[in-house]
Amino acid sequence: MGKILITYASMSGNTEDIADLLKKSLESLDHKIELLEIEYLEPTDLLNYDGILIGSYTWGDGDLPYEAEDFYEDLADMDLSGKKAAVFGSGDTSYPKFCAAVDLFEERLKECGAEVIEDGIKMEFAPEGKEEIDRCVEFAVRFAERMI
């Protein structure tokens, strides 16, 4: 099976909870998973993986969090042709641009030539309750199926 990177920025733990759920789901499908915080990652590290899942919370009115900004900017110089990718994130619907970081990262991945094989998942805060947890698991399963 493929080697998948799950990288994320999380302040309150909500996006990290999603990342943990994705990791557990993908490991059950026999994928090799690495889970790393985005601030400790260089965009060139993405070249070592078959699949890339990027997670970020959205700060303020649709902004990337500070710990993801450098990674996002440096990502612009990357050629990710042939890489399968998707994005996930948490947010707060009381803000006008709910989970805008998901959209920003999806667009950047496409600009870099990555194939975004699953629509981004946007979660209000942390995944709680069966329905939200199932959404995360189904996202991971669809991503794994489309990697083939």
Side-chain angles (χ1 to χ4, degrees), residues 69-112:
E69 286 176 347
D70 287 344
F71 181 85
Y72 176 82
E73 292 303 323
D74 294 344
L75 194 57
D77 300 326
M78 296 295 302
D79 178 1
L80 297 176
S81 299
K83 301 294 179 187
K84 311 284 189 187
V87 183
F88 62 96
S90 61
D92 182 342
T93 55
S94 68
Y95 288 93
K97 294 182 181 173
F98 176 65
C99 286
V102 171
D103 302 324
L104 290 169
F105 269 113
E106 273 186 352
E107 284 307 309
R108 180 56 47 97
L109 285 165
K110 289 175 186 175
E111 290 166 7
C112 295

mmCIF file of all heavy atoms in Angstrom, residues 69-112:
data_model
loop_
_atom_site.group_PDB
_atom_site.id
_atom_site.type_symbol
_atom_site.label_atom_id
_atom_site.label_comp_id
_atom_site.label_asym_id
_atom_site.label_seq_id
_atom_site.Cartn_x
_atom_site.Cartn_y
_atom_site.Cartn_z
ATOM 1 N N GLU A 69 1.824 29.395 7.563
ATOM 2 C CA GLU A 69 2.076 30.402 6.525
ATOM 3 C C GLU A 69 3.354 30.141 5.723
ATOM 4 O O GLU A 69 3.341 30.201 4.497
ATOM 5 C CB GLU A 69 2.135 31.800 7.141
ATOM 6 C CG GLU A 69 0.784 32.325 7.547
ATOM 7 C CD GLU A 69 0.868 33.671 8.257
ATOM 8 O OE1 GLU A 69 1.974 34.095 8.660
ATOM 9 O OE2 GLU A 69 -0.198 34.297 8.411
ATOM 10 N N ASP A 70 4.479 29.889 6.409
ATOM 11 C CA ASP A 70 5.743 29.662 5.698
ATOM 12 C C ASP A 70 5.655 28.430 4.800
ATOM 13 O O ASP A 70 6.103 28.442 3.661
ATOM 14 C CB ASP A 70 6.915 29.498 6.676
ATOM 15 C CG ASP A 70 7.311 30.819 7.322
ATOM 16 O OD1 ASP A 70 6.902 31.889 6.810
ATOM 17 O OD2 ASP A 70 8.016 30.773 8.343
ATOM 18 N N PHE A 71 5.070 27.368 5.336
ATOM 19 C CA PHE A 71 4.913 26.142 4.559
ATOM 20 C C PHE A 71 4.090 26.424 3.306
ATOM 21 O O PHE A 71 4.455 26.019 2.208
ATOM 22 C CB PHE A 71 4.251 25.054 5.413
ATOM 23 C CG PHE A 71 4.075 23.750 4.705
ATOM 24 C CD1 PHE A 71 5.099 22.829 4.656
ATOM 25 C CD2 PHE A 71 2.874 23.440 4.073
ATOM 26 C CE1 PHE A 71 4.943 21.624 3.988
ATOM 27 C CE2 PHE A 71 2.704 22.247 3.410
ATOM 28 C CZ PHE A 71 3.742 21.328 3.371
ATOM 29 N N TYR A 72 2.981 27.136 3.469
ATOM 30 C CA TYR A 72 2.102 27.477 2.357
ATOM 31 C C TYR A 72 2.855 28.288 1.303
ATOM 32 O O TYR A 72 2.769 28.002 0.106
ATOM 33 C CB TYR A 72 0.893 28.258 2.887
ATOM 34 C CG TYR A 72 -0.041 28.737 1.819
ATOM 35 C CD1 TYR A 72 -1.007 27.893 1.287
ATOM 36 C CD2 TYR A 72 0.033 30.042 1.328
ATOM 37 C CE1 TYR A 72 -1.878 28.330 0.296
ATOM 38 C CE2 TYR A 72 -0.831 30.485 0.343
ATOM 39 C CZ TYR A 72 -1.784 29.625 -0.166
ATOM 40 O OH TYR A 72 -2.627 30.071 -1.149
ATOM 41 N N GLU A 73 3.605 29.295 1.729
ATOM 42 C CA GLU A 73 4.351 30.141 0.796
ATOM 43 C C GLU A 73 5.424 29.334 0.063
ATOM 44 O O GLU A 73 5.578 29.435 -1.151
ATOM 45 C CB GLU A 73 4.987 31.326 1.528
ATOM 46 C CG GLU A 73 3.989 32.335 2.056
ATOM 47 C CD GLU A 73 3.082 32.926 0.984
ATOM 48 O OE1 GLU A 73 3.545 33.162 -0.147
ATOM 49 O OE2 GLU A 73 1.885 33.130 1.284
ATOM 50 N N ASP A 74 6.185 28.519 0.803
ATOM 51 C CA ASP A 74 7.263 27.723 0.201
ATOM 52 C C ASP A 74 6.722 26.632 -0.730
ATOM 53 O O ASP A 74 7.401 26.206 -1.654
ATOM 54 C CB ASP A 74 8.139 27.088 1.284
ATOM 55 C CG ASP A 74 8.905 28.134 2.084
ATOM 56 O OD1 ASP A 74 9.002 29.296 1.631
ATOM 57 O OD2 ASP A 74 9.406 27.786 3.176
ATOM 58 N N LEU A 75 5.512 26.208 -0.478
ATOM 59 C CA LEU A 75 4.875 25.176 -1.295
ATOM 60 C C LEU A 75 4.711 25.640 -2.744
ATOM 61 O O LEU A 75 4.744 24.827 -3.673
ATOM 62 C CB LEU A 75 3.510 24.830 -0.695
ATOM 63 C CG LEU A 75 2.780 23.591 -1.157
ATOM 64 C CD1 LEU A 75 3.631 22.344 -0.954
ATOM 65 C CD2 LEU A 75 1.468 23.449 -0.388
ATOM 66 N N ALA A 76 4.609 26.937 -2.949
ATOM 67 C CA ALA A 76 4.395 27.490 -4.290
ATOM 68 C C ALA A 76 5.505 27.113 -5.261
ATOM 69 O O ALA A 76 5.284 27.050 -6.470
ATOM 70 C CB ALA A 76 4.266 29.012 -4.214
ATOM 71 N N ASP A 77 6.693 26.831 -4.747
ATOM 72 C CA ASP A 77 7.839 26.498 -5.601
ATOM 73 C C ASP A 77 7.953 25.010 -5.915
ATOM 74 O O ASP A 77 8.885 24.595 -6.598
ATOM 75 C CB ASP A 77 9.146 26.947 -4.922
ATOM 76 C CG ASP A 77 9.160 28.448 -4.682
ATOM 77 O OD1 ASP A 77 8.597 29.187 -5.515
ATOM 78 O OD2 ASP A 77 9.727 28.865 -3.657
ATOM 79 N N MET A 78 7.033 24.213 -5.421
ATOM 80 C CA MET A 78 7.127 22.755 -5.548
ATOM 81 C C MET A 78 6.427 22.234 -6.799
ATOM 82 O O MET A 78 5.413 22.779 -7.218
ATOM 83 C CB MET A 78 6.497 22.071 -4.330
ATOM 84 C CG MET A 78 7.198 22.338 -3.020
ATOM 85 S SD MET A 78 8.862 21.655 -2.969
ATOM 86 C CE MET A 78 8.522 19.937 -3.275
ATOM 87 N N ASP A 79 6.990 21.151 -7.359
ATOM 88 C CA ASP A 79 6.317 20.413 -8.425
ATOM 89 C C ASP A 79 5.836 19.104 -7.799
ATOM 90 O O ASP A 79 6.637 18.231 -7.486
ATOM 91 C CB ASP A 79 7.272 20.127 -9.587
ATOM 92 C CG ASP A 79 6.608 19.323 -10.696
ATOM 93 O OD1 ASP A 79 5.398 19.006 -10.579
ATOM 94 O OD2 ASP A 79 7.291 18.992 -11.674
ATOM 95 N N LEU A 80 4.542 19.005 -7.597
ATOM 96 C CA LEU A 80 3.959 17.826 -6.957
ATOM 97 C C LEU A 80 3.209 16.952 -7.963
ATOM 98 O O LEU A 80 2.302 16.206 -7.588
ATOM 99 C CB LEU A 80 3.028 18.260 -5.819
ATOM 100 C CG LEU A 80 3.708 19.018 -4.670
ATOM 101 C CD1 LEU A 80 2.662 19.470 -3.647
ATOM 102 C CD2 LEU A 80 4.782 18.169 -4.005
ATOM 103 N N SER A 81 3.605 17.038 -9.220
ATOM 104 C CA SER A 81 2.981 16.214 -10.247
ATOM 105 C C SER A 81 3.065 14.746 -9.841
ATOM 106 O O SER A 81 4.100 14.280 -9.373
ATOM 107 C CB SER A 81 3.685 16.408 -11.581
ATOM 108 O OG SER A 81 3.591 17.752 -11.984
ATOM 109 N N GLY A 82 1.953 14.039 -10.017
ATOM 110 C CA GLY A 82 1.911 12.623 -9.695
ATOM 111 C C GLY A 82 1.559 12.327 -8.254
ATOM 112 O O GLY A 82 1.341 11.174 -7.886
ATOM 113 N N LYS A 83 1.486 13.344 -7.410
ATOM 114 C CA LYS A 83 1.126 13.143 -6.002
ATOM 115 C C LYS A 83 -0.384 13.246 -5.840
ATOM 116 O O LYS A 83 -1.041 14.083 -6.442
ATOM 117 C CB LYS A 83 1.808 14.183 -5.096
ATOM 118 C CG LYS A 83 3.317 14.177 -5.163
ATOM 119 C CD LYS A 83 3.895 12.895 -4.626
ATOM 120 C CE LYS A 83 5.408 12.892 -4.725
ATOM 121 N NZ LYS A 83 5.967 11.596 -4.358
ATOM 122 N N LYS A 84 -0.932 12.363 -5.019
ATOM 123 C CA LYS A 84 -2.360 12.388 -4.691
ATOM 124 C C LYS A 84 -2.511 13.154 -3.384
ATOM 125 O O LYS A 84 -1.728 12.962 -2.454
ATOM 126 C CB LYS A 84 -2.904 10.971 -4.495
ATOM 127 C CG LYS A 84 -2.529 9.994 -5.596
ATOM 128 C CD LYS A 84 -3.327 10.216 -6.830
ATOM 129 C CE LYS A 84 -3.058 9.064 -7.810
ATOM 130 N NZ LYS A 84 -3.637 9.264 -9.079
ATOM 131 N N ALA A 85 -3.500 14.021 -3.317
ATOM 132 C CA ALA A 85 -3.623 14.880 -2.143
ATOM 133 C C ALA A 85 -5.077 15.173 -1.805
ATOM 134 O O ALA A 85 -5.970 15.015 -2.634
ATOM 135 C CB ALA A 85 -2.875 16.186 -2.390
ATOM 136 N N ALA A 86 -5.259 15.619 -0.561
ATOM 137 C CA ALA A 86 -6.547 16.125 -0.092
ATOM 138 C C ALA A 86 -6.274 16.979 1.136
ATOM 139 O O ALA A 86 -5.188 16.942 1.712
ATOM 140 C CB ALA A 86 -7.510 14.987 0.233
ATOM 141 N N VAL A 87 -7.292 17.758 1.517
ATOM 142 C CA VAL A 87 -7.131 18.717 2.605
ATOM 143 C C VAL A 87 -8.296 18.566 3.585
ATOM 144 O O VAL A 87 -9.418 18.251 3.194
ATOM 145 C CB VAL A 87 -7.082 20.156 2.045
ATOM 146 C CG1 VAL A 87 -6.833 21.169 3.148
ATOM 147 C CG2 VAL A 87 -5.999 20.279 0.968
ATOM 148 N N PHE A 88 -7.997 18.803 4.849
ATOM 149 C CA PHE A 88 -9.027 18.772 5.888
ATOM 150 C C PHE A 88 -8.785 19.926 6.853
ATOM 151 O O PHE A 88 -7.689 20.486 6.903
ATOM 152 C CB PHE A 88 -9.018 17.427 6.638
ATOM 153 C CG PHE A 88 -7.731 17.131 7.365
ATOM 154 C CD1 PHE A 88 -7.584 17.424 8.717
ATOM 155 C CD2 PHE A 88 -6.654 16.552 6.699
ATOM 156 C CE1 PHE A 88 -6.404 17.149 9.378
ATOM 157 C CE2 PHE A 88 -5.470 16.264 7.355
ATOM 158 C CZ PHE A 88 -5.339 16.569 8.707
ATOM 159 N N GLY A 89 -9.820 20.301 7.581
ATOM 160 C CA GLY A 89 -9.623 21.379 8.535
ATOM 161 C C GLY A 89 -10.816 21.586 9.440
ATOM 162 O O GLY A 89 -11.892 21.068 9.209
ATOM 163 N N SER A 90 -10.536 22.352 10.486
ATOM 164 C CA SER A 90 -11.585 22.697 11.432
ATOM 165 C C SER A 90 -11.796 24.196 11.416
ATOM 166 O O SER A 90 -10.905 24.955 11.019
ATOM 167 C CB SER A 90 -11.194 22.227 12.840
ATOM 168 O OG SER A 90 -10.001 22.875 13.248
ATOM 169 N N GLY A 91 -12.968 24.599 11.826
ATOM 170 C CA GLY A 91 -13.278 26.013 11.837
ATOM 171 C C GLY A 91 -14.485 26.298 12.713
ATOM 172 O O GLY A 91 -14.965 25.422 13.428
ATOM 173 N N ASP A 92 -14.939 27.512 12.604
ATOM 174 C CA ASP A 92 -16.053 27.989 13.411
ATOM 175 C C ASP A 92 -17.022 28.698 12.460
ATOM 176 O O ASP A 92 -16.656 29.685 11.826
ATOM 177 C CB ASP A 92 -15.501 28.949 14.467
ATOM 178 C CG ASP A 92 -16.554 29.484 15.414
ATOM 179 O OD1 ASP A 92 -17.763 29.419 15.090
ATOM 180 O OD2 ASP A 92 -16.163 29.984 16.480
ATOM 181 N N THR A 93 -18.227 28.187 12.355
ATOM 182 C CA THR A 93 -19.199 28.746 11.407
ATOM 183 C C THR A 93 -19.664 30.152 11.786
ATOM 184 O O THR A 93 -20.349 30.793 11.000
ATOM 185 C CB THR A 93 -20.438 27.838 11.245
ATOM 186 O OG1 THR A 93 -21.000 27.594 12.541
ATOM 187 C CG2 THR A 93 -20.089 26.529 10.577
ATOM 188 N N SER A 94 -19.285 30.648 12.961
ATOM 189 C CA SER A 94 -19.663 32.017 13.307
ATOM 190 C C SER A 94 -18.834 33.043 12.523
ATOM 191 O O SER A 94 -19.176 34.216 12.493
ATOM 192 C CB SER A 94 -19.531 32.260 14.818
ATOM 193 O OG SER A 94 -18.181 32.225 15.213
ATOM 194 N N TYR A 95 -17.750 32.579 11.881
ATOM 195 C CA TYR A 95 -16.946 33.463 11.029
ATOM 196 C C TYR A 95 -17.441 33.371 9.592
ATOM 197 O O TYR A 95 -17.878 32.312 9.145
ATOM 198 C CB TYR A 95 -15.463 33.069 11.084
ATOM 199 C CG TYR A 95 -14.811 33.429 12.392
ATOM 200 C CD1 TYR A 95 -14.755 32.515 13.427
ATOM 201 C CD2 TYR A 95 -14.260 34.688 12.589
ATOM 202 C CE1 TYR A 95 -14.160 32.834 14.638
ATOM 203 C CE2 TYR A 95 -13.667 35.026 13.787
ATOM 204 C CZ TYR A 95 -13.614 34.100 14.813
ATOM 205 O OH TYR A 95 -13.040 34.430 15.999
ATOM 206 N N PRO A 96 -17.359 34.475 8.825
ATOM 207 C CA PRO A 96 -17.897 34.481 7.460
ATOM 208 C C PRO A 96 -17.181 33.522 6.500
ATOM 209 O O PRO A 96 -17.791 33.022 5.567
ATOM 210 C CB PRO A 96 -17.748 35.923 6.994
ATOM 211 C CG PRO A 96 -17.028 36.662 8.050
ATOM 212 C CD PRO A 96 -16.885 35.786 9.250
ATOM 213 N N LYS A 97 -15.904 33.262 6.710
ATOM 214 C CA LYS A 97 -15.161 32.376 5.802
ATOM 215 C C LYS A 97 -14.833 31.078 6.533
ATOM 216 O O LYS A 97 -13.709 30.846 6.961
ATOM 217 C CB LYS A 97 -13.903 33.064 5.301
ATOM 218 C CG LYS A 97 -14.199 34.267 4.424
ATOM 219 C CD LYS A 97 -12.933 34.893 3.904
ATOM 220 C CE LYS A 97 -13.258 36.110 3.052
ATOM 221 N NZ LYS A 97 -12.037 36.828 2.663
ATOM 222 N N PHE A 98 -15.836 30.228 6.657
ATOM 223 C CA PHE A 98 -15.706 28.965 7.381
ATOM 224 C C PHE A 98 -14.676 28.055 6.713
ATOM 225 O O PHE A 98 -14.791 27.746 5.529
ATOM 226 C CB PHE A 98 -17.076 28.274 7.444
ATOM 227 C CG PHE A 98 -17.057 26.911 8.073
ATOM 228 C CD1 PHE A 98 -16.731 26.768 9.406
ATOM 229 C CD2 PHE A 98 -17.366 25.784 7.331
ATOM 230 C CE1 PHE A 98 -16.718 25.519 10.002
ATOM 231 C CE2 PHE A 98 -17.356 24.532 7.910
ATOM 232 C CZ PHE A 98 -17.032 24.392 9.253
ATOM 233 N N CYS A 99 -13.672 27.663 7.449
ATOM 234 C CA CYS A 99 -12.645 26.714 6.995
ATOM 235 C C CYS A 99 -11.968 27.144 5.688
ATOM 236 O O CYS A 99 -11.650 26.316 4.838
ATOM 237 C CB CYS A 99 -13.227 25.316 6.852
ATOM 238 S SG CYS A 99 -13.536 24.490 8.420
ATOM 239 N N ALA A 100 -11.714 28.430 5.532
ATOM 240 C CA ALA A 100 -11.090 28.931 4.306
ATOM 241 C C ALA A 100 -9.692 28.362 4.091
ATOM 242 O O ALA A 100 -9.228 28.276 2.949
ATOM 243 C CB ALA A 100 -11.034 30.458 4.331
ATOM 244 N N ALA A 101 -9.009 27.952 5.152
ATOM 245 C CA ALA A 101 -7.668 27.369 5.005
ATOM 246 C C ALA A 101 -7.717 26.101 4.144
ATOM 247 O O ALA A 101 -6.782 25.822 3.390
ATOM 248 C CB ALA A 101 -7.059 27.057 6.369
ATOM 249 N N VAL A 102 -8.802 25.357 4.226
ATOM 250 C CA VAL A 102 -8.968 24.151 3.404
ATOM 251 C C VAL A 102 -8.946 24.546 1.928
ATOM 252 O O VAL A 102 -8.232 23.943 1.120
ATOM 253 C CB VAL A 102 -10.267 23.398 3.767
ATOM 254 C CG1 VAL A 102 -10.559 22.281 2.780
ATOM 255 C CG2 VAL A 102 -10.184 22.848 5.192
ATOM 256 N N ASP A 103 -9.695 25.570 1.577
ATOM 257 C CA ASP A 103 -9.749 26.028 0.182
ATOM 258 C C ASP A 103 -8.392 26.552 -0.286
ATOM 259 O O ASP A 103 -7.967 26.280 -1.414
ATOM 260 C CB ASP A 103 -10.811 27.126 0.028
ATOM 261 C CG ASP A 103 -12.193 26.652 0.452
ATOM 262 O OD1 ASP A 103 -12.519 25.467 0.216
ATOM 263 O OD2 ASP A 103 -12.943 27.459 1.028
ATOM 264 N N LEU A 104 -7.710 27.307 0.579
ATOM 265 C CA LEU A 104 -6.399 27.856 0.216
ATOM 266 C C LEU A 104 -5.400 26.738 -0.075
ATOM 267 O O LEU A 104 -4.680 26.775 -1.085
ATOM 268 C CB LEU A 104 -5.867 28.759 1.340
ATOM 269 C CG LEU A 104 -6.595 30.076 1.538
ATOM 270 C CD1 LEU A 104 -6.146 30.745 2.832
ATOM 271 C CD2 LEU A 104 -6.348 31.000 0.347
ATOM 272 N N PHE A 105 -5.350 25.731 0.787
ATOM 273 C CA PHE A 105 -4.402 24.631 0.574
ATOM 274 C C PHE A 105 -4.781 23.778 -0.642
ATOM 275 O O PHE A 105 -3.906 23.326 -1.376
ATOM 276 C CB PHE A 105 -4.256 23.757 1.827
ATOM 277 C CG PHE A 105 -3.157 24.221 2.733
ATOM 278 C CD1 PHE A 105 -3.438 24.729 3.982
ATOM 279 C CD2 PHE A 105 -1.824 24.154 2.341
ATOM 280 C CE1 PHE A 105 -2.418 25.160 4.831
ATOM 281 C CE2 PHE A 105 -0.800 24.574 3.163
ATOM 282 C CZ PHE A 105 -1.097 25.084 4.414
ATOM 283 N N GLU A 106 -6.082 23.577 -0.862
ATOM 284 C CA GLU A 106 -6.491 22.816 -2.059
ATOM 285 C C GLU A 106 -6.015 23.519 -3.327
ATOM 286 O O GLU A 106 -5.469 22.880 -4.230
ATOM 287 C CB GLU A 106 -8.017 22.654 -2.109
ATOM 288 C CG GLU A 106 -8.526 21.475 -1.360
ATOM 289 C CD GLU A 106 -10.026 21.264 -1.559
ATOM 290 O OE1 GLU A 106 -10.713 22.116 -2.167
ATOM 291 O OE2 GLU A 106 -10.506 20.207 -1.099
ATOM 292 N N GLU A 107 -6.243 24.815 -3.402
ATOM 293 C CA GLU A 107 -5.820 25.572 -4.587
ATOM 294 C C GLU A 107 -4.310 25.525 -4.763
ATOM 295 O O GLU A 107 -3.811 25.365 -5.879
ATOM 296 C CB GLU A 107 -6.310 27.022 -4.491
ATOM 297 C CG GLU A 107 -7.780 27.182 -4.785
ATOM 298 C CD GLU A 107 -8.191 26.561 -6.120
ATOM 299 O OE1 GLU A 107 -7.556 26.853 -7.152
ATOM 300 O OE2 GLU A 107 -9.150 25.762 -6.129
ATOM 301 N N ARG A 108 -3.561 25.673 -3.681
ATOM 302 C CA ARG A 108 -2.106 25.661 -3.767
ATOM 303 C C ARG A 108 -1.614 24.286 -4.245
ATOM 304 O O ARG A 108 -0.717 24.206 -5.083
ATOM 305 C CB ARG A 108 -1.501 26.030 -2.403
ATOM 306 C CG ARG A 108 0.013 26.057 -2.314
ATOM 307 C CD ARG A 108 0.734 26.982 -3.308
ATOM 308 N NE ARG A 108 0.231 28.314 -3.442
ATOM 309 C CZ ARG A 108 0.691 29.393 -2.827
ATOM 310 N NH1 ARG A 108 1.693 29.297 -1.985
ATOM 311 N NH2 ARG A 108 0.160 30.575 -3.059
ATOM 312 N N LEU A 109 -2.202 23.219 -3.739
ATOM 313 C CA LEU A 109 -1.805 21.874 -4.176
ATOM 314 C C LEU A 109 -2.052 21.695 -5.676
ATOM 315 O O LEU A 109 -1.207 21.148 -6.386
ATOM 316 C CB LEU A 109 -2.551 20.807 -3.367
ATOM 317 C CG LEU A 109 -2.061 20.609 -1.936
ATOM 318 C CD1 LEU A 109 -3.085 19.823 -1.127
ATOM 319 C CD2 LEU A 109 -0.702 19.923 -1.919
ATOM 320 N N LYS A 110 -3.200 22.164 -6.143
ATOM 321 C CA LYS A 110 -3.512 22.065 -7.575
ATOM 322 C C LYS A 110 -2.518 22.877 -8.399
ATOM 323 O O LYS A 110 -2.053 22.421 -9.443
ATOM 324 C CB LYS A 110 -4.939 22.543 -7.845
ATOM 325 C CG LYS A 110 -6.005 21.600 -7.325
ATOM 326 C CD LYS A 110 -7.393 22.191 -7.508
ATOM 327 C CE LYS A 110 -8.467 21.324 -6.871
ATOM 328 N NZ LYS A 110 -9.799 21.954 -6.946
ATOM 329 N N GLU A 111 -2.191 24.088 -7.927
ATOM 330 C CA GLU A 111 -1.215 24.929 -8.626
ATOM 331 C C GLU A 111 0.143 24.238 -8.734
ATOM 332 O O GLU A 111 0.890 24.469 -9.684
ATOM 333 C CB GLU A 111 -1.033 26.267 -7.884
ATOM 334 C CG GLU A 111 -2.220 27.187 -7.959
ATOM 335 C CD GLU A 111 -2.156 28.329 -6.943
ATOM 336 O OE1 GLU A 111 -1.114 28.478 -6.253
ATOM 337 O OE2 GLU A 111 -3.139 29.078 -6.843
ATOM 338 N N CYS A 112 0.466 23.396 -7.756
ATOM 339 C CA CYS A 112 1.755 22.685 -7.724
ATOM 340 C C CYS A 112 1.719 21.384 -8.524
ATOM 341 O O CYS A 112 2.706 20.653 -8.557
ATOM 342 C CB CYS A 112 2.147 22.392 -6.284
ATOM 343 S SG CYS A 112 2.473 23.870 -5.323
#
